[in-house]
Amino acid sequence: MSTVNYVVTGQGSPVILIHGLFGNLDNLKALGTALANHQVIRLDVPNHGLSPHWQQMDYLSLAKAIVDLLDELSIEAAHFVGHSMGGKIAMATALRYPERVISMTAADIAPVAYQPRHQSVFAGLTSLDVSQLTNRAQALGQLTEAGIDEGTALFLLKNLQKSDVGFSWKMNLAGLQACYAELIGWPFNDSASANTLPVPYTGPSLCIRGADSDYVLAEHRQAFLNQFPAIQAKTIAGTGHWLHAQKPAIFNRIVSEFIAQNDH
């Protein structure tokens, strides 16, 4: 039994693609298609998509789940690409299991703890009584009424599944809410913590940020350099946090070129 749900496409050196909070393995599908000369593994993070539901969820256990997947697929080391929460999972894996990571790309996220910023999303999702829904339009209306913009609401509703008995969430909403402090946190920057790593990840690293996003700021530069001294940075103009969806051609090219430069 696999630790996570995943899809494998193509052949070549392996690339692991990891989505963000409330997402699923389809979020980075266009990037997977662009990486045509690689074995691409797209996965559902635990508590998302068709992966198991966990009551306890943090970056150390998530990194281990990814390494367990590598073992299951008999992959010695892979390129890692993650967006937002997925970028933190990729960074945590590189710091904890550097020998399993050929290169690491984090899209619009820094290796730091963040302030809560999803309260309105959780409030909107928990206020939605999915057992009473008759169609998706009804769900969209209720989320937008709760103050969630339509684009975000449509993204969130990809988690809604219909069966003979009605609608339900694929994601473990209660589990995500319970573990939210861990997901916006970061286990490696507390000098008093047993999780503080004695060595940074010195392999090839890339941060791609959206110019209009406030997730990666100048104040995060030192945290990157302390933990990923070889970090390179790229900014995509005219994009926010969803840079891979807003400018997919540019995003996919940057990632593809970085992986090609560091393939061995």
Side-chain angles (χ1 to χ4, degrees):
M1 170 74 180
S2 174
T3 50
V4 296
N5 179 57
Y6 62 91
V7 171
V8 181
T9 54
Q11 291 182 314
S13 58
V15 183
I16 308 287
L17 303 184
I18 315 173
H19 64 79
L21 185 63
F22 305 120
N24 64 41
L25 55 72
D26 282 340
N27 290 169
L28 293 169
K29 192 173 184 177
L31 174 59
T33 303
L35 294 166
N37 57 341
H38 291 272
Q39 180 189 24
V40 175
I41 299 101
R42 293 181 288 118
L43 59 93
D44 286 329
V45 174
N47 285 335
H48 297 77
L50 300 177
S51 278
H53 287 185
W54 291 5
Q55 297 316 305
Q56 293 295 318
M57 183 185 187
D58 59 62
Y59 288 112
L60 300 181
S61 56
L62 290 166
K64 181 169 189 312
I66 305 296
V67 168
D68 288 346
L69 176 61
L70 294 184
D71 291 342
E72 181 184 333
L73 295 172
S74 301
I75 293 172
E76 190 176 329
H79 299 278
F80 280 73
V81 184
H83 171 246
S84 199
M85 174 191 73
K88 278 190 160 182
I89 297 171
M91 290 189 284
T93 307
L95 289 168
R96 207 66 197 265
Y97 307 95
E99 71 285 355
R100 309 302 295 267
V101 180
I102 304 170
S103 75
M104 190 288 299
T105 300
D108 212 57
I109 200 76
V112 299
Y114 285 84
Q115 291 299 310
R117 61 169 73 205
H118 296 89
Q119 296 99 319
S120 61
V121 172
F122 277 119
L125 290 172
T126 52
S127 72
L128 193 63
D129 185 354
V130 291
S131 66
Q132 299 300 310
L133 291 175
T134 53
N135 57 57
R136 287 177 178 275
Q138 196 179 16
L140 178 61
Q142 289 187 34
L143 288 182
T144 51
E145 279 175 27
I148 298 173
D149 69 89
E150 187 172 342
T152 302
L154 288 167
F155 167 73
L156 294 168
L157 290 176
K158 291 179 180 176
N159 289 289
L160 201 60
Q161 60 187 358
K162 192 177 192 312
S163 67
D164 296 340
V165 294
F167 287 95
S168 62
W169 292 118
K170 283 186 207 168
M171 61 181 169
N172 177 11
L173 182 56
L176 292 176
Q177 200 161 14
C179 301
Y180 183 63
E182 281 74 31
L183 297 180
I184 59 172
W186 187 239
F188 299 119
N189 56 358
D190 175 2
S191 59
S193 165
N195 297 325
T196 300
L197 296 188
V199 291
Y201 175 73
T202 56
S205 308
L206 173 65
C207 171
I208 311 173
R209 62 179 288 271
D212 303 332
S213 170
D214 63 352
Y215 274 79
V216 179
L217 303 171
E219 66 201 50
H220 297 142
R221 183 171 182 271
Q222 198 57 51
F224 271 114
L225 290 172
N226 289 347
Q227 298 170 75
F228 301 92
I231 194 78
Q232 300 175 39
K234 298 272 188 187
T235 299
I236 302 180
T239 62
H241 189 54
W242 302 97
L243 63 177
H244 60 291
Q246 291 170 304
K247 295 271 182 87
I250 298 172
F251 178 82
N252 295 347
R253 189 187 76 238
I254 291 171
V255 175
S256 300
E257 289 176 354
F258 178 72
I259 288 174
Q261 288 163 9
N262 295 290
D263 218 8
H264 56 73

